[in-house]
Amino acid sequence: MNSFTYTRTDAIDTAVRERASEQTAKFIAGGTNLIDLMKENVERPTRLIDITKLPLTTISDTVAGGLRLGALMTNADTAYNEQVIQRYPLLSQAILAGASPQLRNMATDGGNLLQRTRCYYFYDTATPCNKREPGSGCSAINGYNRIHAILGTHDRDHTGGMAEPSCIATHPSDMCVALAALEAEVRVKGSNGERTIPFADFHRLPGNTPQIDNTLQPDELITSIDLPARGFPEFHTYLKLRDRASYAFALVSVAVGLEMDQSDGRGNTITTARIALGGVAHKPWRKPEAETLLVGKPATKENFQAAAESLLAGAQGFGHNTFKIELAKRAIVRALGQAAKLEPTA
Ligand SMILES: Cc1cc2nc3c(=O)[nH]c(=O)nc-3n(C[C@H](O)[C@H](O)[C@H](O)COP(=O)(O)OP(=O)(O)OC[C@H]3O[C@@H](n4cnc5c(N)ncnc54)[C@H](O)[C@@H]3O)c2cc1C
Ligand code: SF4
């Protein structure tokens, strides 16, 4: 273990100032990811700034009619909050699909957004990994890549052609897939003040800087996650497919929120659709064009299949993970059926 200093503060401004003054410092919240990474020698902070006493542990209404989740709410308290259960059951389901009860009691909402990939090579410091050590190579592309990405891995090079991927890691969070479908916003505070980041812009694709997972500046603290008024309380589902039923990260997961026209007496016409995928890309994956394909259409398997084909257009497997392309399509069709109440929920 490398040596580091430890400080704890109950003031947001102090935490931000301390972080800004030491480039290699890190905030620590529940510690469920950061401590593991320190033990594996992947993260080597020189100072830990404990933020667990900051006043960011409440859920409150926003002026826009939504809900503000303090960044230091635990995953468990968020998932079991009455307002979240009633207004954003998709989020509650997604959180409860992740980790174990003990972990959810420690893990915070802000930390969940910033947890790092579960790529095995990232944790194994004896292997090349562009995310851990930029320029060293990616062991997963020609290695064992069963859990890796099938979308968003290729970028354009300077000639406009397709460049080789630099990293095919996936973002491991369940909560973030629901937040993408809900179109949440992330509020942050840094030395340059406060700003709000739309969820779609928070995580990033690897491009040629795979070491950077998101658009947060190093000295910025997440203060809250804001949910908009629209929460899809009636028609929603979170479907997570994984190797075993007890706690495991998703091979593929799908968050769906629908609004259906009830005026025809059958409630079968989709008026709004949101679909986000987990386990398939460096960030929670959304494609608004695929969602638009469903608007004004009846909830049928054929229409769901068309949306699934559109979402997976351009997907590429790397051998061990190629099965995910078909798995994701089937998961999308099933999740849409569950959300529209055509199929029993699983
Ligand atoms: C065995 C195991 C299984 C798991 N399974 C799942 C799963 O199935 N699904 C899933 O989604 N997750 C899973 N997790 C991950 C878990 O949800 C995350 O580790 C947790 O949410 C991280 O939150 P934390 O508060 O512990 O973060 P920490 O470990 O404290 O911090 C993580 C990172 O976030 C930064 N940070 C924390 N809070 C803030 C903030 N407010 N502002 C700025 N930076 C901040 C830290 O500096 C650090 O870089 C699992 C974890 C383990 C150990
Ligand atoms: S996929 Fe990304 S995290 Fe995994 S070895 Fe390659 S560069 Fe590293």
Side-chain angles (χ1 to χ4, degrees):
M1 178 72 89
N2 301 295
S3 60
F4 56 87
T5 52
Y6 168 88
T7 51
R8 187 163 72 185
T9 172
D10 55 9
I12 292 172
D13 287 345
T14 311
V16 169
R17 204 169 40 247
E18 285 187 7
R19 178 69 187 84
S21 69
E22 193 166 330
Q23 266 194 358
T24 44
K26 280 251 163 198
F27 296 127
I28 182 162
T32 60
N33 189 220
L34 182 55
I35 297 291
D36 277 355
L37 290 164
M38 288 170 68
K39 285 195 275 193
E40 298 297 336
N41 213 19
V42 175
E43 300 266 16
R44 291 184 287 270
T46 51
R47 178 201 287 239
L48 288 184
I49 304 162
D50 185 336
I51 55 173
T52 50
K53 298 290 175 208
L54 299 185
L56 300 171
T57 52
T58 53
I59 293 189
S60 53
D61 292 320
T62 66
V63 282
L67 217 52
R68 173 162 296 162
L69 313 175
L72 289 161
M73 286 286 299
T74 65
N75 283 178
D77 286 346
T78 306
Y80 292 120
N81 176 274
E82 255 332 290
Q83 287 284 325
V84 174
I85 292 171
Q86 278 173 25
R87 295 169 61 187
Y88 306 95
L90 168 60
L91 179 60
S92 183
Q93 270 180 21
I95 294 174
L96 294 177
S100 63
Q102 293 88 342
L103 282 159
R104 294 193 296 265
N105 283 338
M106 282 302 289
T108 64
D109 292 350
N112 192 294
L113 270 52
L114 297 178
Q115 62 176 296
R116 306 211 68 191
T117 183
R118 292 284 158 171
C119 169
Y120 347 92
Y121 303 104
F122 178 67
Y123 279 78
D124 179 357
T125 52
T127 59
C129 167
N130 285 327
K131 186 178 277 299
R132 189 169 20 77
E133 205 178 314
S136 62
C138 170
S139 299
I141 291 172
N142 297 311
Y144 186 58
N145 47 43
R146 177 175 164 73
I147 63 169
H148 288 76
I150 50 172
L151 286 162
T153 52
H154 287 72
D155 209 358
R156 299 264 166 209
D157 64 18
H158 62 281
T159 64
M162 282 302 183
E164 272 303 296
S166 60
C167 171
I168 58 170
T170 55
H171 193 270
S173 167
D174 291 296
M175 179 180 189
C176 290
V177 185
L179 292 174
L182 289 167
E183 298 186 322
E185 292 182 329
V186 186
R187 285 177 70 240
V188 306
K189 184 162 192 187
S191 6
N192 289 329
E194 295 182 37
R195 66 186 179 116
T196 300
I197 309 170
F199 208 77
D201 301 334
F202 186 79
H203 297 102
R204 59 185 293 283
L205 294 178
N208 55 12
T209 49
Q211 71 277 20
I212 305 171
D213 293 341
N214 53 61
T215 54
L216 204 65
Q217 293 302 311
D219 68 337
E220 281 178 328
L221 174 83
I222 299 176
T223 53
S224 72
I225 298 156
D226 287 6
L227 304 172
R230 177 184 267 159
F232 306 102
E234 197 169 358
F235 299 100
H236 62 271
T237 206
Y238 185 69
L239 176 64
K240 177 175 180 178
L241 304 179
R242 48 187 155 177
D243 276 329
R244 53 168 199 264
S246 72
Y247 71 89
F249 291 91
L251 286 169
V252 168
S253 68
V254 190
V256 174
L258 299 177
E259 287 177 337
M260 314 276 284
D261 181 3
Q262 307 285 296
S263 62
D264 63 358
R266 291 175 297 127
N268 195 37
T269 303
I270 297 168
T271 53
T272 310
R274 298 279 182 272
I275 311 167
L277 305 181
V280 296
H282 202 251
K283 59 184 283 186
W285 190 261
R286 261 191 76 198
K287 187 174 179 189
E289 303 95 280
E291 296 164 1
T292 308
L293 287 178
L294 290 169
V295 175
K297 303 264 177 62
T300 63
K301 284 218 158 149
E302 293 68 35
N303 291 331
F304 297 163
Q305 188 68 42
E309 296 292 342
S310 168
L311 265 153
L312 270 295
Q316 191 202 326
F318 292 86
H320 301 284
N321 70 345
T322 307
F323 73 98
K324 279 194 184 183
I325 299 174
E326 184 58 25
L327 185 71
K329 288 182 191 172
R330 290 179 187 220
I332 293 164
V333 173
R334 188 164 137 207
L336 282 163
Q338 286 179 1
K341 301 183 183 173
L342 303 185
E343 286 190 13
T345 51

